[in-house]
Amino acid sequence: RRFYGDKGLVLTAFSNKAARLIGGKTSHTLTKLRGGQSLSMPGLRVKSDKERRALAAVWAPAGALVKDEFTQQPGPLEHAMAVRAMYGRERYHNLRCEDYARPKTNYASLPYVITAGDPLQFPPVPATSSLLADPEGLSKEHRIAQGMFEDQDYVCELKATMRFINDPILTSIVK
């Protein structure tokens, strides 16, 4: 926030609880998708100028995107976020929507995209919906999202949990 300003950091998580805990919004809210709206490419297209302005209000000033609890995010919704972010930024940053999944322009050419979460945590979505699922038989949108996920430049995998250190009550419960 210090570098990009109040609207420059977009924080998101799939579930409402996780989004609130980081001071962010759910993926559905950020993409301006309503319940039951299709996550296929035709369903993601912007249908009005009002909708484009709403996406631009979120995405045009953004410089960084932090996505928490990535194992909970279904692949097609991850794809939808990338597409809708591109619609929100294309007019302000000289982008082409058809380039939304290319390595240099995925996630609407945001300078920083951070994906966080615990891949060993039991996700509330079926394993076949996860970005870590076997791509065989999955939708085109899901496979594109997996490709963008795999295109991340840097990966830091933490090997130990630190949340119970120096907390005798939680430590005793875990034992």
Side-chain angles (χ1 to χ4, degrees), residues 91-104:
R91 291 184 178 175
Y92 298 89
H93 298 278
N94 198 27
L95 300 170
R96 296 174 345 137
C97 195
E98 56 268 20
D99 294 336
Y100 76 94
R102 296 185 190 276
K104 291 187 181 206

Side-chain angles (χ1 to χ4, degrees), residues 1-171:
R1 290 182 200 261
R2 186 178 293 173
F3 189 76
Y4 289 108
D6 287 340
K7 291 187 175 188
L9 176 61
V10 177
L11 300 166
T12 186
F14 175 67
S15 72
N16 189 36
K17 183 176 183 179
R20 282 193 330 246
L21 285 171
I22 62 171
K25 298 186 183 220
T26 66
S27 307
H28 287 89
T29 300
L30 285 178
T31 54
K32 306 298 180 195
L33 294 171
R34 293 167 297 289
Q37 187 170 343
S38 173
L39 297 179
S40 66
M41 272 310 277
L44 297 175
R45 290 193 180 107
V46 174
K47 291 158 187 66
S48 70
D49 224 27
K50 179 180 177 184
E51 186 177 18
R52 187 178 300 277
R53 283 192 307 272
L55 288 166
V58 172
W59 295 105
L65 169 64
V66 176
K67 304 174 292 164
D68 195 13
E69 300 291 357
F70 83 91
T71 56
Q72 296 181 12
Q73 180 95 306
L77 186 55
E78 184 77 9
H79 171 262
M81 188 182 322
V83 172
R84 302 287 279 185
M86 186 64 97
Y87 279 128
R89 289 174 60 84
E90 68 179 338
R91 291 184 178 175
Y92 298 89
H93 298 278
N94 198 27
L95 300 170
R96 296 174 345 137
C97 195
E98 56 268 20
D99 294 336
Y100 76 94
R102 296 185 190 276
K104 291 187 181 206
T105 55
N106 67 18
Y107 293 103
S109 288
L110 285 168
Y112 299 98
V113 178
I114 298 169
T115 304
D118 183 353
L120 300 177
Q121 179 181 356
F122 182 72
V125 297
T128 56
S129 294
S130 169
L131 289 169
L132 303 175
D134 181 1
E136 177 103 14
L138 297 177
S139 70
K140 178 181 178 183
E141 290 82 7
H142 194 125
R143 292 190 313 273
I144 290 170
Q146 286 179 318
M148 290 187 297
F149 180 72
E150 291 169 0
D151 279 338
Q152 295 176 106
D153 292 326
Y154 302 101
V155 175
C156 179
E157 184 178 357
L158 305 177
K159 299 288 185 184
T161 183
M162 302 301 281
R163 73 176 80 143
F164 300 123
I165 290 181
N166 297 326
D167 189 333
I169 295 172
L170 289 174
T171 303

